[in-house]
Amino acid sequence: MELGLAGRRALVTGAGKGIGRGTVQALHAAGARVVAVSRTQADLDSLVRECPGIDPVCVDLSDWEATERALGNVGPVDLLVNNAAVALLQPFLEVTKEAFDRSFEVNLRAVLQVSQIVARGLIARGAPGAIVNISSQASQRAITNHSIYCSTKGALDMLTKVMALELGPHKIRVNAVNPTVVMTPMGRTNWLDPQKAKTMLDRIPLGKFADT
């Protein structure tokens, strides 16, 4: 299927592993020019070997100033995939300030910041574009020990709606994708326990989690 991505420039956050890495690989295969953003240099090095020609950027998106330095002059971007996220799981009564702050910095604030950078560039060029935010079914369902993660993804869904409303007049489409558990390294870490997994698998008609 022709996706019309050849020659387009795409930026993917959380590109080192899991969904983000798979997204970079698919975009590269479709002929897009990809900016791959990850906080882990080793992951970017191996990704460059797999996908020659991509533009790697190593930055921790929880750091606002570092992100601005790394991406403020990234150049024209036609497609943004906000995929970077952390899942710091704690019982509600044991949630720490550190886990709360980092989760919202990466899962929500970084989406706002990177989207602003890309959207301002599109508007300045008078070009249409697309932003895809990788959310989660955790935005819709309460999950034990996921109070922070569920909250960040619920907030991301509403941010996506407001972004779509405000950026639509500029011909910038904004959508969220809300997958179930995906067996990425992060997914495997959090869902290998059969008893815990069963509560989620029982809600899935196919009876299995997604894979990358």
Side-chain angles (χ1 to χ4, degrees), residues 86-91 94-107 145 147-149 152:
V86 295
L88 306 178
L89 308 188
Q90 298 172 325
E94 299 175 18
V95 169
T96 63
K97 177 183 182 297
E98 291 75 19
F100 183 96
D101 287 349
R102 177 154 184 83
S103 296
F104 273 89
E105 286 167 357
V106 176
N107 296 8
N145 297 336
S147 56
I148 308 176
Y149 185 76
T152 64

Side-chain angles (χ1 to χ4, degrees), residues 27-204:
L27 289 168
H28 181 262
R33 297 176 293 133
V34 184
V35 180
V37 180
S38 173
R39 64 176 177 169
T40 307
Q41 187 63 54
D43 289 339
L44 289 173
D45 292 342
S46 63
L47 187 57
V48 168
R49 290 192 292 272
E50 291 178 25
C51 303
I54 68 169
D55 183 10
V57 177
C58 188
V59 65
D60 184 344
L61 296 175
S62 69
D63 186 328
W64 182 280
E65 289 74 22
T67 299
E68 187 64 36
R69 289 192 298 270
L71 299 177
N73 295 307
V74 71
V77 172
D78 304 297
L79 166 64
L80 168 62
V81 181
N82 284 305
N83 169 73
V86 295
L88 306 178
L89 308 188
Q90 298 172 325
F92 171 74
L93 293 176
E94 299 175 18
V95 169
T96 63
K97 177 183 182 297
E98 291 75 19
F100 183 96
D101 287 349
R102 177 154 184 83
S103 296
F104 273 89
E105 286 167 357
V106 176
N107 296 8
L108 188 69
R109 195 184 71 182
V111 173
L112 172 74
Q113 183 182 15
V114 179
S115 296
Q116 285 179 334
I117 291 170
V118 170
R120 286 169 179 157
L122 286 166
I123 293 169
R125 290 189 287 133
I131 298 174
V132 179
N133 295 331
I134 306 301
S135 185
S136 169
Q137 284 296 300
S139 71
Q140 308 293 324
R141 299 284 184 177
I143 307 171
T144 301
N145 297 336
H146 284 64
S147 56
I148 308 176
Y149 185 76
C150 288
S151 298
T152 64
K153 293 302 186 178
L156 178 59
D157 283 359
M158 185 51 69
L159 177 62
T160 301
K161 293 176 182 180
V162 178
M163 288 169 60
L165 179 66
E166 295 193 16
L167 297 178
H170 299 286
K171 308 302 181 187
I172 301 171
R173 294 176 290 110
V174 186
N175 291 279
V177 177
N178 295 63
T180 185
V181 175
V182 181
M183 296 311 280
T184 62
M186 185 170 76
R188 285 190 291 272
T189 297
N190 293 327
W191 291 94
L192 277 180
D193 177 29
Q195 184 174 357
K196 177 183 177 181
K198 186 177 186 302
T199 63
M200 184 68 75
L201 289 169
D202 286 346
R203 301 176 179 176
I204 301 173

